Amino acid sequence: MSDEQSELLAARRAKLERLRAEGIDPFPHSFPGVVPAARVVAEHGGLQPGEETDHRYRVAGRLAARRGQGRMAFLDLVDRSGRLQLQARVDVLGEERMERLLGLDLGDLIGVDGCAMRTKRGEISLRVEDVTVLAKSLRPPPDKHHGLQDVETRYRQRELDLMANEETRELFMLRAKAISAVRRQLDEDGFIEVETPVLQPLYGGALARPFITHFNALDRDMYLRIATELYLKRLIVGGLERVYELGKDFRNEGLSPKHNPEFTMVEWYEAYADYHDAAARLEKLVHGVAQAVGYEGELDFTPPWRRVTLRELLIERAGVDILEVRDRDELARIVDPLVPSDNEQRTWPQLVDDLFSKTVEPTLVQPTIVMDYPVELSPFAKRHRSGDDRLVERFEAFAGGMEIANAFTELNDPDDQRARFEAQVRLAAAGDDETQPYDELFVTALEHGMPPTGGLGMGIDRLVMILSGRRSIREVVLFPAMRD
C-alpha cells in the first residue's frame, strides 16, 4: 500500500472516530421507511424549473458525488434504482448539520429525509431536511469518472464493480428478471418446483467429470451433482407428472468463455410428452423471457425456430456423414485434418462431439434446434421412433453460436437403460472420463414404470449471456471461478 493510500485510510478512520466522539453511531441498526430514489424522480416529472413541493421522502444509498460548499451544495445519492440529486442548504439544515454532511466521504452510506423539487437547471432533486449516517466507508470507492475497468478486480470483488458501474447493476437485475420469468412460465404451465440433492452418492444425468468430497459421518466419498436429471425422473415415476428444478450444478471442467464449473440450470420433465413438446415449450419460454427482460438484440426468438438434424448439419458444414462412418479409427482419420487434436485418444462419441462443436456450433447464431443424435452421445434418450437404432430422440438448442438447452424423449425402458449404462462403463474402461456411471437405483425406479416423458435442461447463465449481449460467462455470474 502506498503512502498516499495509507493517508486516505487514516483520514477516513479519523472521521469515524470523530463521529463517535460526537455521539453519532456510524453503523446504526436500521433505517425504516426507505423508498427507491427512482420513485422520487418518477412521481415529480411534471415540476417546473425552480418549483418546490412539500412531498416528503426518505431515501438511502451511497454518497457518489458532491458539488459546492458553503451555504448550498449538491450531492448525488445512488441506490439500486438509480441516482438522485440532493440539494443541501444551510438555511434548512443549520450550520452544524450542514458541516457534518459536507464532511462526509464519497462512498459513505447515508439516509436522507427531504422534499421533492426541481432545481432551476431542471433536475429533479430532494431538498435535504435531515441526514443520517448509515455506514461509514473506510475505503475510497472506485474512480467515479472511469468506473472499475480492471477485469480481475471486477470479478474478484464484484461489490466494487456493482458500486462503480451502473451497467453491471442493470445486468444482474436483468438476470433476476430472466430467472423470475422462467419460474413464472413453468408455474403457469402446471409444473411444480422441487429440490433434489446437491450432494449425491452417485453422480449422473450428464457426461462430465464430478467434484468429489468426503462425507465424514458416513465415511464415504460423495459428489456434487452434475445434473438433476435422474432424481427428477424418479419423481415422474412417483406420479408428480410435471416437475422442474432451478439451481446450481457443478462440473469439474476447465474454464472458458462458455464454461464455469459452478453454473445455474433449469431442468423440467413432463409426463406424456416427447422431445417435440419440449422444443415447443422451450421456444415459448425463451421468447417470453426475452420479452420480460426487454431484449432488443438481433436474435429473433419468435417461435417456431429453425429445426435441422445433426447429420444434415455435419454433412453441410464438415462434409462428414457420421451415420455412415461408424468405425472410430476411420472417423479419427477424417476428423483429424478438420479438427486437429489428440484424436487417437478420443472415443467415437467424443470425435463426433468435437467435430460438431468446432465446425457447426459457432455458425448457429439465430435460434436453432438440432435434432436426432447418435445413441452413443445420448445415454438417456429414447431410441428414434423411425426405427433407426443408430439414433435417439434428442435435440440441442443453440443461439448466439453456443448451446443453450438439451432435451430428450426420455428413455423409459429399464432393459434398454441398463444396456446403455453398460455401454458407458465400457467407454470409461476405454479411457473416457466423462461417462455416466451405472446407477442401479435409477434402473430399479424405471422398473416400476415411467410414463412417456419429455425432458429438457437449459443453461441460465448462457441464456443471460445471449439476452445481455455478453461474450463471457464470467460477466453474468456474480462471483465466477478465478485462477489464483
Side-chain angles (χ1 to χ4, degrees):
M1 183 183 297
S2 69
D3 291 342
E4 182 180 0
Q5 289 174 317
S6 297
E7 290 176 3
L8 284 173
L9 297 182
R12 284 175 175 254
R13 283 201 169 272
K15 290 184 179 182
L16 171 68
E17 297 308 320
R18 193 177 307 131
L19 288 170
R20 285 173 169 155
E22 293 173 359
I24 297 171
D25 182 359
F27 302 103
H29 290 79
S30 65
F31 192 68
V34 170
V35 302
R39 177 173 161 184
V40 180
V41 177
E43 293 183 354
H44 294 280
L47 292 179
Q48 298 301 310
E51 185 177 354
E52 300 192 9
T53 76
D54 58 1
H55 295 146
R56 285 178 169 77
Y57 294 89
R58 168 169 278 195
V59 297
R62 200 172 292 275
L63 185 59
R66 182 174 47 235
R67 300 171 296 281
Q69 292 287 337
R71 307 198 68 76
M72 180 184 292
F74 292 95
L75 308 94
D76 288 348
L77 178 142
V78 174
D79 69 2
R80 192 181 75 182
S81 71
R83 183 179 296 262
L84 176 65
Q85 179 171 272
L86 309 175
Q87 185 201 64
R89 298 188 341 220
V90 72
D91 63 322
V92 176
L93 290 171
E95 297 284 354
E96 183 178 343
R97 288 191 298 171
M98 185 73 170
E99 181 181 356
R100 184 179 299 127
L101 173 58
L102 297 182
L104 293 175
D105 290 312
L106 298 185
D108 286 352
L109 286 158
I110 60 173
V112 177
D113 294 288
C115 292
M117 58 172 291
R118 187 186 288 274
T119 66
K120 292 180 179 179
R121 293 189 175 184
E123 184 167 352
I124 299 295
S125 304
L126 200 69
R127 186 180 70 249
V128 180
E129 296 183 340
D130 197 13
V131 177
T132 303
V133 177
L134 301 180
K136 181 75 186 90
S137 174
L138 298 178
R139 291 180 179 272
D143 185 280
K144 66 179 181 178
H145 295 296
H146 302 101
L148 188 64
Q149 301 298 323
D150 181 72
V151 171
E152 289 288 314
T153 302
R154 288 180 56 223
Y155 297 158
R156 291 183 191 278
Q157 296 178 270
R158 183 67 84 178
E159 64 278 10
L160 300 183
D161 187 21
L162 291 164
M163 189 188 305
N165 297 318
E166 182 178 357
E167 186 178 356
T168 302
R169 296 195 296 273
E170 291 175 349
L171 166 62
F172 286 101
M173 287 190 281
L174 179 150
R175 180 186 172 107
K177 288 180 183 178
I179 290 173
S180 294
V182 169
R183 280 197 165 100
R184 184 167 56 250
Q185 184 65 67
L186 291 172
D187 290 344
E188 290 175 356
D189 286 348
F191 287 77
I192 61 170
E193 184 173 6
V194 298
E195 295 175 299
T196 62
V198 173
L199 196 62
Q200 302 180 345
L202 187 68
Y203 63 94
L207 303 180
R209 289 188 298 273
F211 286 94
I212 306 172
T213 187
H214 192 75
F215 195 148
N216 290 333
L218 298 179
D219 192 23
R220 65 171 297 177
D221 285 342
M222 301 284 280
Y223 305 92
L224 293 179
R225 69 184 181 197
I226 61 174
T228 55
E229 177 172 348
L230 301 189
Y231 282 96
L232 292 177
K233 287 198 286 192
R234 287 165 64 180
L235 299 181
I236 296 294
V237 170
L240 293 186
E241 296 187 346
R242 289 187 179 188
V243 296
Y244 77 92
E245 184 165 7
L246 200 160
K248 294 288 188 180
D249 289 339
F250 307 84
R251 297 180 186 176
N252 201 349
E253 302 170 339
L255 301 172
S256 81
K258 295 190 293 185
H259 296 90
N260 193 63
E262 176 183 353
F263 58 99
T264 304
M265 288 277 288
V266 60
E267 290 196 40
W268 73 72
Y269 292 84
E270 178 179 3
Y272 316 114
D274 63 11
Y275 74 149
H276 293 294
D277 298 308
R281 191 173 298 285
L282 174 70
E283 292 167 339
K284 172 188 172 185
L285 186 144
V286 173
H287 184 244
V289 172
Q291 290 181 314
V293 303
Y295 175 75
E296 297 180 346
E298 297 179 354
L299 303 185
D300 182 4
F301 294 106
T302 306
W305 300 354
R306 179 196 180 198
R307 301 192 187 190
V308 59
T309 68
L310 178 73
R311 181 187 193 185
E312 290 169 336
L313 284 174
L314 283 172
I315 291 173
E316 175 186 323
R317 301 293 166 85
V320 180
D321 187 344
I322 57 169
L323 296 191
E324 298 301 324
V325 185
R326 304 293 290 174
D327 179 74
R328 194 219 75 87
D329 292 341
E330 183 182 357
L331 183 60
R333 287 193 296 272
I334 294 172
V335 168
D336 192 57
L338 298 171
V339 185
S341 186
D342 187 16
N343 292 324
E344 290 303 317
Q345 305 301 317
R346 294 176 180 269
T347 62
W348 189 90
Q350 286 177 320
L351 288 167
V352 173
D353 185 65
D354 202 31
L355 181 64
F356 180 85
S357 65
K358 298 293 180 13
T359 65
V360 177
E361 183 173 338
T363 71
L364 302 177
V365 178
Q366 288 298 330
T368 303
I369 292 176
V370 181
M371 315 282 290
D372 303 342
Y373 279 59
V375 64
E376 293 87 347
L377 272 70
S378 312
F380 299 110
K382 198 172 184 67
R383 291 187 188 273
H384 205 280
R385 67 192 71 187
S386 67
D388 189 338
D389 284 344
R390 300 171 298 180
L391 295 175
V392 294
E393 294 193 353
R394 171 191 178 188
F395 75 77
E396 289 183 300
F398 296 83
M402 63 182 171
E403 176 203 348
I404 60 171
N406 183 31
F408 306 150
T409 299
E410 300 297 336
L411 178 60
N412 61 345
D413 180 337
D415 294 332
D416 194 355
Q417 180 64 81
R418 183 177 288 105
R420 306 279 189 92
F421 277 143
E422 291 169 349
Q424 288 290 299
V425 171
R426 290 192 294 273
L427 286 172
D432 188 348
D433 60 356
E434 294 187 356
T435 56
Q436 164 66 55
Y438 197 111
D439 190 334
E440 184 61 44
L441 197 59
F442 177 66
V443 175
T444 300
L446 290 184
E447 289 178 337
H448 286 282
M450 186 175 86
T453 298
L456 181 143
M458 178 174 68
I460 296 295
D461 307 311
R462 291 186 181 182
L463 179 64
V464 174
M465 285 173 64
I466 290 167
L467 295 177
S468 64
R470 300 312 198 272
R471 301 182 65 84
S472 170
I473 196 170
R474 297 195 301 175
E475 289 277 354
V476 302
V477 174
L478 277 168
F479 296 99
M482 301 286 289
R483 291 183 173 88
D484 289 339

